Amino acid sequence: MKTIAIVSRKGGAGKTTLAVHLAVAAEIKGKETAIVDLDPQASAAGWGDSRSQETPAVVSAQAARLAKVLETAKSSGADLAIIDTAPHSETAALAAIRAADLILIPCRPAILDLRAIGDTIDLVNLAKKTATVVLNAVPPRGALADEAIEAIKGYGVAVAPVRVGQRAAFVHSLTAGQESDRRTFRPSSV
Ligand SMILES: Nc1ncnc2c1ncn2[C@@H]1O[C@H](COP(=O)(O)OP(=O)(O)OP(=O)(O)O)[C@@H](O)[C@H]1O
Ligand SMILES: [Mg+2]
């Protein structure tokens, strides 16, 4: 089983949006996927509760239980675990980072978000790991994303070659326990 941690100490960067959509994209590709929700606000778990489909499985957990929960997911046959984290818990973010094969940091192409990713990257460095920044909520037009990539390069981390666009469908799907239409969020474009 592979594990992806989605971390950002900035609230509203798109952690939960990325977690649930990646999980659905992985399920569509035939990977049994579990979302582990470490956020006490339980947004991903709430999304799971409001779904009519049973997959992906969503489990609410505390950081201290993460290893055990991942072990259970693995022994239950999961191919992939995706950990959604809270913005303000350093302990939970670190636990997720340490457990992960891949660490994704969603970041909006906006100055406050770009300034804030330094804090998240510090945590990744503390765990002696590497992370990839995923630009999220990129407007359909304009040079913001390209400017953001230049700024992110200054932190010495990788930037995912694909970007997630700013789409109302992402907002609606989170509310409705659905995923955005596949034309909006194709697994190949993430
Ligand atoms: N690509 C996008 N296009 C449009 N809206 C988006 C996009 N990504 C996220 N949003 C919206 O922005 C808000 C914050 O997103 P989300 O909850 O995924 O962020 P988060 O990092 O998990 O927040 P928190 O730090 O509070 O857990 C939500 O209303 C979500 O629907
Ligand atoms: Mg969230």
Side-chain angles (χ1 to χ4, degrees):
M1 185 183 80
K2 295 287 185 196
T3 302
I4 301 176
I6 304 189
V7 292
S8 160
R9 302 199 64 194
K10 179 91 173 70
K15 294 177 286 297
T16 303
T17 300
L18 198 57
V20 303
H21 281 84
L22 279 180
V24 171
E27 287 276 350
I28 290 169
K29 289 273 184 182
K31 305 266 179 227
E32 258 192 54
T33 304
I35 298 172
V36 182
D37 188 355
L38 289 188
D39 187 345
Q41 287 198 353
S43 318
W47 170 86
D49 290 344
S50 53
R51 273 172 84 69
S52 46
Q53 289 96 324
E54 302 213 328
T55 57
V58 190
V59 188
S60 233
Q62 291 177 342
R65 302 277 304 149
L66 181 60
K68 183 75 193 153
V69 169
L70 290 174
E71 221 177 275
T72 307
K74 188 177 175 185
S75 59
S76 307
D79 303 301
L80 179 68
I82 298 179
I83 310 170
D84 185 20
T85 59
H88 303 303
S89 171
E90 196 168 303
T91 316
L94 253 182
I97 286 168
R98 290 197 165 116
D101 300 294
L102 174 69
I103 300 156
L104 298 178
I105 305 174
C107 182
R108 291 172 182 259
I111 186 67
L112 294 180
D113 296 67
L114 290 164
R115 281 188 188 143
I117 62 167
D119 287 347
T120 312
I121 293 167
D122 284 347
L123 273 187
V124 174
N125 290 340
L126 192 67
K128 298 192 170 47
K129 296 264 208 153
T130 53
T132 299
V133 175
V134 180
L135 280 180
N136 180 38
V138 176
R141 273 177 279 283
L144 270 182
D146 294 325
E147 289 166 15
I149 288 171
E150 282 312 305
I152 293 164
K153 277 184 186 162
Y155 288 101
V157 288
V159 183
V162 288
R163 307 154 180 186
V164 181
Q166 167 81 40
R167 302 272 191 280
F170 285 120
V171 183
H172 298 311
S173 59
L174 216 56
T175 316
Q178 295 173 338
E179 63 282 354
S180 294
D181 185 286
R182 274 191 250 170
R183 281 166 299 178
T184 308
F185 194 87
R186 288 184 300 266
S188 60
S189 70
V190 175

